[in-house]
PDB file of all heavy atoms in Angstrom:
ATOM      1  N   LEU A 590     -13.927 -18.389  -9.041  1.00 98.00           N
ATOM      2  CA  LEU A 590     -13.032 -19.224  -8.241  1.00 98.00           C
ATOM      3  C   LEU A 590     -13.647 -20.596  -8.034  1.00 98.00           C
ATOM      4  O   LEU A 590     -14.842 -20.728  -7.764  1.00 98.00           O
ATOM      5  CB  LEU A 590     -12.773 -18.575  -6.878  1.00 98.00           C
ATOM      6  CG  LEU A 590     -12.115 -17.190  -6.876  1.00 98.00           C
ATOM      7  CD1 LEU A 590     -12.036 -16.656  -5.447  1.00 98.00           C
ATOM      8  CD2 LEU A 590     -10.727 -17.248  -7.484  1.00 98.00           C
ATOM      9  N   SER A 591     -12.808 -21.613  -8.145  1.00 98.00           N
ATOM     10  CA  SER A 591     -13.283 -22.970  -7.879  1.00 98.00           C
ATOM     11  C   SER A 591     -13.374 -23.190  -6.374  1.00 98.00           C
ATOM     12  O   SER A 591     -12.853 -22.405  -5.571  1.00 98.00           O
ATOM     13  CB  SER A 591     -12.331 -23.989  -8.494  1.00 98.00           C
ATOM     14  OG  SER A 591     -11.084 -23.971  -7.804  1.00 98.00           O
ATOM     15  N   ALA A 592     -14.008 -24.281  -5.983  1.00 98.00           N
ATOM     16  CA  ALA A 592     -14.112 -24.603  -4.557  1.00 98.00           C
ATOM     17  C   ALA A 592     -12.726 -24.793  -3.945  1.00 98.00           C
ATOM     18  O   ALA A 592     -12.457 -24.366  -2.812  1.00 98.00           O
ATOM     19  CB  ALA A 592     -14.960 -25.860  -4.368  1.00 98.00           C
ATOM     20  N   THR A 593     -11.823 -25.403  -4.707  1.00 98.00           N
ATOM     21  CA  THR A 593     -10.445 -25.596  -4.231  1.00 98.00           C
ATOM     22  C   THR A 593      -9.740 -24.263  -4.037  1.00 98.00           C
ATOM     23  O   THR A 593      -9.029 -24.055  -3.048  1.00 98.00           O
ATOM     24  CB  THR A 593      -9.655 -26.462  -5.235  1.00 98.00           C
ATOM     25  OG1 THR A 593     -10.281 -27.743  -5.332  1.00 98.00           O
ATOM     26  CG2 THR A 593      -8.210 -26.630  -4.790  1.00 98.00           C
ATOM     27  N   GLU A 594      -9.934 -23.344  -4.974  1.00 98.00           N
ATOM     28  CA  GLU A 594      -9.291 -22.031  -4.882  1.00 98.00           C
ATOM     29  C   GLU A 594      -9.835 -21.231  -3.706  1.00 98.00           C
ATOM     30  O   GLU A 594      -9.089 -20.523  -3.018  1.00 98.00           O
ATOM     31  CB  GLU A 594      -9.484 -21.278  -6.195  1.00 98.00           C
ATOM     32  CG  GLU A 594      -8.678 -21.876  -7.346  1.00 98.00           C
ATOM     33  CD  GLU A 594      -9.068 -21.310  -8.693  1.00 98.00           C
ATOM     34  OE1 GLU A 594     -10.215 -20.825  -8.851  1.00 98.00           O
ATOM     35  OE2 GLU A 594      -8.225 -21.365  -9.614  1.00 98.00           O
ATOM     36  N   LYS A 595     -11.125 -21.337  -3.441  1.00 98.00           N
ATOM     37  CA  LYS A 595     -11.711 -20.635  -2.295  1.00 98.00           C
ATOM     38  C   LYS A 595     -11.138 -21.166  -0.993  1.00 98.00           C
ATOM     39  O   LYS A 595     -10.788 -20.391  -0.086  1.00 98.00           O
ATOM     40  CB  LYS A 595     -13.231 -20.786  -2.302  1.00 98.00           C
ATOM     41  CG  LYS A 595     -13.927 -20.110  -3.462  1.00 98.00           C
ATOM     42  CD  LYS A 595     -15.420 -20.448  -3.454  1.00 98.00           C
ATOM     43  CE  LYS A 595     -16.110 -19.971  -4.711  1.00 98.00           C
ATOM     44  NZ  LYS A 595     -17.540 -20.372  -4.761  1.00 98.00           N
ATOM     45  N   ARG A 596     -11.046 -22.468  -0.870  1.00 98.00           N
ATOM     46  CA  ARG A 596     -10.478 -23.056   0.347  1.00 98.00           C
ATOM     47  C   ARG A 596      -9.016 -22.655   0.512  1.00 98.00           C
ATOM     48  O   ARG A 596      -8.549 -22.389   1.620  1.00 98.00           O
ATOM     49  CB  ARG A 596     -10.615 -24.591   0.307  1.00 98.00           C
ATOM     50  CG  ARG A 596     -12.038 -25.097   0.518  1.00 98.00           C
ATOM     51  CD  ARG A 596     -12.045 -26.597   0.769  1.00 98.00           C
ATOM     52  NE  ARG A 596     -11.550 -27.353  -0.381  1.00 98.00           N
ATOM     53  CZ  ARG A 596     -12.316 -27.816  -1.353  1.00 98.00           C
ATOM     54  NH1 ARG A 596     -13.630 -27.599  -1.340  1.00 98.00           N
ATOM     55  NH2 ARG A 596     -11.790 -28.499  -2.356  1.00 98.00           N
ATOM     56  N   ALA A 597      -8.300 -22.598  -0.609  1.00 98.00           N
ATOM     57  CA  ALA A 597      -6.885 -22.216  -0.555  1.00 98.00           C
ATOM     58  C   ALA A 597      -6.727 -20.766  -0.097  1.00 98.00           C
ATOM     59  O   ALA A 597      -5.816 -20.444   0.678  1.00 98.00           O
ATOM     60  CB  ALA A 597      -6.238 -22.413  -1.926  1.00 98.00           C
ATOM     61  N   LEU A 598      -7.601 -19.892  -0.567  1.00 98.00           N
ATOM     62  CA  LEU A 598      -7.553 -18.494  -0.146  1.00 98.00           C
ATOM     63  C   LEU A 598      -7.690 -18.376   1.368  1.00 98.00           C
ATOM     64  O   LEU A 598      -6.929 -17.655   2.025  1.00 98.00           O
ATOM     65  CB  LEU A 598      -8.685 -17.707  -0.813  1.00 98.00           C
ATOM     66  CG  LEU A 598      -8.364 -16.876  -2.044  1.00 98.00           C
ATOM     67  CD1 LEU A 598      -9.622 -16.189  -2.554  1.00 98.00           C
ATOM     68  CD2 LEU A 598      -7.296 -15.848  -1.748  1.00 98.00           C
ATOM     69  N   VAL A 599      -8.662 -19.078   1.920  1.00 98.00           N
ATOM     70  CA  VAL A 599      -8.881 -19.049   3.371  1.00 98.00           C
ATOM     71  C   VAL A 599      -7.681 -19.640   4.094  1.00 98.00           C
ATOM     72  O   VAL A 599      -7.222 -19.104   5.113  1.00 98.00           O
ATOM     73  CB  VAL A 599     -10.178 -19.798   3.741  1.00 98.00           C
ATOM     74  CG1 VAL A 599     -10.313 -19.913   5.262  1.00 98.00           C
ATOM     75  CG2 VAL A 599     -11.391 -19.093   3.150  1.00 98.00           C
ATOM     76  N   ALA A 600      -7.131 -20.719   3.560  1.00 98.00           N
ATOM     77  CA  ALA A 600      -5.958 -21.349   4.180  1.00 98.00           C
ATOM     78  C   ALA A 600      -4.782 -20.383   4.217  1.00 98.00           C
ATOM     79  O   ALA A 600      -4.068 -20.283   5.222  1.00 98.00           O
ATOM     80  CB  ALA A 600      -5.574 -22.614   3.419  1.00 98.00           C
ATOM     81  N   PHE A 601      -4.575 -19.646   3.111  1.00 98.00           N
ATOM     82  CA  PHE A 601      -3.480 -18.673   3.105  1.00 98.00           C
ATOM     83  C   PHE A 601      -3.701 -17.581   4.134  1.00 98.00           C
ATOM     84  O   PHE A 601      -2.789 -17.221   4.891  1.00 98.00           O
ATOM     85  CB  PHE A 601      -3.315 -18.040   1.722  1.00 98.00           C
ATOM     86  CG  PHE A 601      -2.579 -16.739   1.768  1.00 98.00           C
ATOM     87  CD1 PHE A 601      -1.245 -16.701   2.147  1.00 98.00           C
ATOM     88  CD2 PHE A 601      -3.229 -15.531   1.504  1.00 98.00           C
ATOM     89  CE1 PHE A 601      -0.559 -15.487   2.237  1.00 98.00           C
ATOM     90  CE2 PHE A 601      -2.552 -14.325   1.593  1.00 98.00           C
ATOM     91  CZ  PHE A 601      -1.223 -14.306   1.963  1.00 98.00           C
ATOM     92  N   MET A 602      -4.895 -17.006   4.177  1.00 98.00           N
ATOM     93  CA  MET A 602      -5.160 -15.904   5.106  1.00 98.00           C
ATOM     94  C   MET A 602      -4.926 -16.322   6.550  1.00 98.00           C
ATOM     95  O   MET A 602      -4.521 -15.510   7.380  1.00 98.00           O
ATOM     96  CB  MET A 602      -6.575 -15.368   4.902  1.00 98.00           C
ATOM     97  CG  MET A 602      -6.720 -14.553   3.626  1.00 98.00           C
ATOM     98  SD  MET A 602      -8.301 -13.691   3.472  1.00 98.00           S
ATOM     99  CE  MET A 602      -9.381 -15.032   2.944  1.00 98.00           C
ATOM    100  N   LYS A 603      -5.119 -17.584   6.840  1.00 98.00           N
ATOM    101  CA  LYS A 603      -4.892 -18.070   8.195  1.00 98.00           C
ATOM    102  C   LYS A 603      -3.402 -18.166   8.528  1.00 98.00           C
ATOM    103  O   LYS A 603      -3.052 -18.289   9.699  1.00 98.00           O
ATOM    104  CB  LYS A 603      -5.572 -19.424   8.388  1.00 98.00           C
ATOM    105  CG  LYS A 603      -7.099 -19.324   8.435  1.00 98.00           C
ATOM    106  CD  LYS A 603      -7.758 -20.677   8.639  1.00 98.00           C
ATOM    107  CE  LYS A 603      -9.267 -20.534   8.734  1.00 98.00           C
ATOM    108  NZ  LYS A 603      -9.950 -21.857   8.915  1.00 98.00           N
TER     109      LYS A 603
END
Side-chain angles (χ1 to χ4, degrees):
L590 300 176
S591 68
T593 299
E594 290 169 336
K595 294 174 189 176
R596 287 192 297 269
L598 261 180
V599 173
F601 160 66
M602 287 189 281
K603 289 180 178 179

